[in-house]
């Protein structure tokens, strides 16, 4: 897999039916290793190891309902009270981060109401704080503190 703009982390791999699988410590299972999954695995480790986000307050790849359609978010980090602290949208490294990516995470946030957003393709990372009063987001220099 491609080297990403994250520190190097160790992952558990196995082969199954001619596919490489990686262990996701949040979902507690092996998943097919795709380029987007590679980014998602790194994001989780980055938040846990570099920024001390508690793994027990993270959720990965869960469904949400948006306007009668079912979508899946990549990573959600919760506050201790169960409210959503941050949503992370992951793209494969070969996918450019565009306004469409920010529109996607903003739609998810209509139902999740996160205080912070992170968008990454593993090479570029963007962090935003929501300004609910003015219905916009403010770009941040780095990962929000917990």
């Amino acid at each position: 897999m491609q080297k990403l703009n994250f520190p190097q982390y160790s992952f558990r791999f196995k082969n199954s039916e001619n596919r490489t699988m990686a262990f996701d410590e949040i979902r507690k299972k092996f998943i097919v290793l795709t380029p987007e999954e590679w980014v998602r695995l790194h994001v989780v480790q980055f938040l846990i190891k570099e920024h001390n986000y508690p793994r027990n307050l993270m959720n990965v790849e869960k469904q949400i309902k948006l306007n009668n359609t079912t979508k899946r978010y990549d990573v959600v980090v919760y506050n201790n009270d169960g409210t959503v602290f941050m949503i992370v949208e992951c793209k494969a490294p070969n996918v450019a981060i565009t306004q469409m990516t920010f529109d996607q995470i903003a739609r998810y946030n209509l139902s999740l109401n996160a205080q912070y957003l992170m968008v990454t393709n593993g090479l570029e990372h963007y962090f935003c704080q929501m300004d609910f009063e003015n219905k916009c987001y403010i770009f941040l220099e780095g990962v929000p503190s917990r």
Side-chain angles (χ1 to χ4, degrees):
M1 282 280 148
Q2 180 175 351
K3 179 159 177 31
L4 302 177
N5 187 14
F6 288 109
Q8 192 154 348
Y9 302 111
S10 296
F11 298 103
R12 290 177 30 209
F13 300 101
K14 73 175 187 177
N15 286 314
S16 177
E17 300 174 12
N18 292 328
R19 296 186 303 184
T20 301
M21 311 282 282
F23 188 77
D24 180 328
E25 71 176 74
I26 303 298
R27 290 180 275 185
K28 306 258 188 277
K29 66 180 183 177
F30 281 91
I31 38 90
V32 175
L33 186 59
T34 63
E36 183 177 323
E37 194 63 55
W38 185 238
V39 172
R40 193 167 20 251
L41 289 168
H42 277 79
V43 164
V44 167
Q45 292 304 305
F46 176 70
L47 294 175
I48 292 169
K49 293 190 172 154
E50 311 308 321
H51 297 282
N52 299 313
Y53 282 32
R55 68 176 41 82
N56 64 325
L57 293 179
M58 289 186 181
N59 218 326
V60 174
E61 279 272 298
K62 294 287 183 185
Q63 291 184 350
I64 57 172
K65 290 278 190 191
L66 292 173
N67 300 327
N68 297 322
T69 62
T70 302
K71 302 290 184 183
R72 291 178 93 70
Y73 60 71
D74 288 308
V75 179
V76 164
V77 180
Y78 294 94
N79 290 305
N80 289 331
D81 65 5
T83 59
V84 178
F85 176 74
M86 182 167 68
I87 309 169
V88 182
E89 178 59 30
C90 301
K91 298 295 183 191
N94 66 329
V95 176
I97 304 295
T98 65
Q99 185 60 49
M100 286 177 40
T101 312
F102 286 97
D103 293 346
Q104 177 184 2
I105 199 169
R107 280 192 303 276
Y108 292 176
N109 206 30
L110 290 174
S111 79
L112 295 171
N113 294 312
Q115 185 179 358
Y116 296 99
L117 310 175
M118 176 181 178
V119 175
T120 182
N121 62 6
L123 304 174
E124 297 178 288
H125 318 301
Y126 298 94
F127 307 96
C128 307
Q129 181 173 9
M130 292 303 303
D131 178 348
F132 290 106
E133 188 175 313
N134 294 307
K135 297 183 180 172
C136 65
Y137 38 82
I138 301 156
F139 284 91
L140 305 172
E141 291 294 315
V143 177
S145 299
R146 291 211 18 99

